[in-house]
Amino acid sequence: MSKLRVHSLATFMTKTKSAAWKRIPTSYLLCENDKPVPLELQESMIATVKREGGDIDTERLFVSHSPHLAMPDKVAGFLRRAAGENCRDGAWSQN
């Protein structure tokens, strides 16, 4: 928690002009033990993206709201897979 920093309120209050997920394939890491953003809300957001034609891949971790702090290796693997690398079971190779 000591690594967390203040986040600008403007990012929550400013209306977006577009949604990148409508044009760019997207990956989402579901945090199954997230209290601020409950799993049901995360699943609802994913359903909305799919319903509106978004291309979204998901993975799940039983982790709280800050998976990058609690499970950095798992998050790094998720990001590498999202970027196109095959890194299951510790094997790292470009697709």
Side-chain angles (χ1 to χ4, degrees):
M1 296 301 264
S2 66
K3 295 180 182 181
L4 296 178
R5 299 289 178 248
V6 174
H7 189 93
S8 172
L9 184 59
T11 61
F12 295 106
M13 307 304 284
T14 304
K15 184 165 176 60
T16 60
K17 295 181 176 141
S18 68
W21 56 261
K22 291 182 177 182
R23 300 181 315 281
I24 301 169
T26 303
S27 297
Y28 187 90
L29 183 60
L30 288 135
C31 299
E32 295 179 329
N33 197 32
D34 193 335
K35 302 300 185 228
V37 185
L39 183 58
E40 295 78 18
L41 178 56
Q42 295 173 65
E43 290 171 334
S44 174
M45 292 185 296
I46 291 164
T48 298
V49 168
K50 289 180 178 181
R51 187 174 55 253
E52 294 189 17
D55 179 11
I56 187 167
D57 291 320
T58 61
E59 291 186 26
R60 294 173 172 265
L61 282 178
F62 189 79
V63 66
S64 61
H65 189 67
S66 298
H68 59 288
L69 298 176
M71 297 182 172
D73 291 340
K74 298 277 188 185
V75 173
F78 167 75
L79 293 172
R80 293 180 79 146
R81 286 187 294 281
E85 289 187 14
N86 178 4
C87 58
R88 296 242 185 247
D89 303 318
W92 303 96
S93 62
Q94 189 68 31
N95 283 344

